[in-house]
Amino acid sequence: MKNRIKELRRAMGYRQEDLAAALGVSRQTIIAIENDKYDPTLGLAMKLARYLRTTVEELFLMEEGT
């Protein structure tokens, strides 16, 4: 699953550390999610979307064939 977290985070002027602290996760978790190495739980996905002022559907993009 692809995501737009890095794009939206940068557009809003947040660092990975800022996002991690706001969501109560480690910077390594944010890095893994941004690099498509880890799919967050539904709860974390919803927190990410809320913090980045978007919807889960706009934040996470399903790849073709999945």
Side-chain angles (χ1 to χ4, degrees), residues 16-63:
Q16 289 173 330
E17 294 87 347
D18 302 328
L19 189 55
L23 300 175
V25 299
S26 69
R27 179 173 172 257
Q28 288 75 21
T29 298
I30 299 301
I31 291 168
I33 295 169
E34 286 185 349
N35 291 318
D36 300 318
K37 302 291 183 195
Y38 172 73
D39 289 331
T41 64
L42 179 57
L44 181 53
M46 292 174 78
K47 287 180 184 179
L48 279 161
R50 189 176 308 125
Y51 195 79
L52 296 171
R53 300 184 192 120
T54 190
T55 64
V56 172
E57 293 84 1
E58 290 291 323
L59 190 57
F60 294 93
L61 312 168
M62 295 297 292
E63 295 179 90

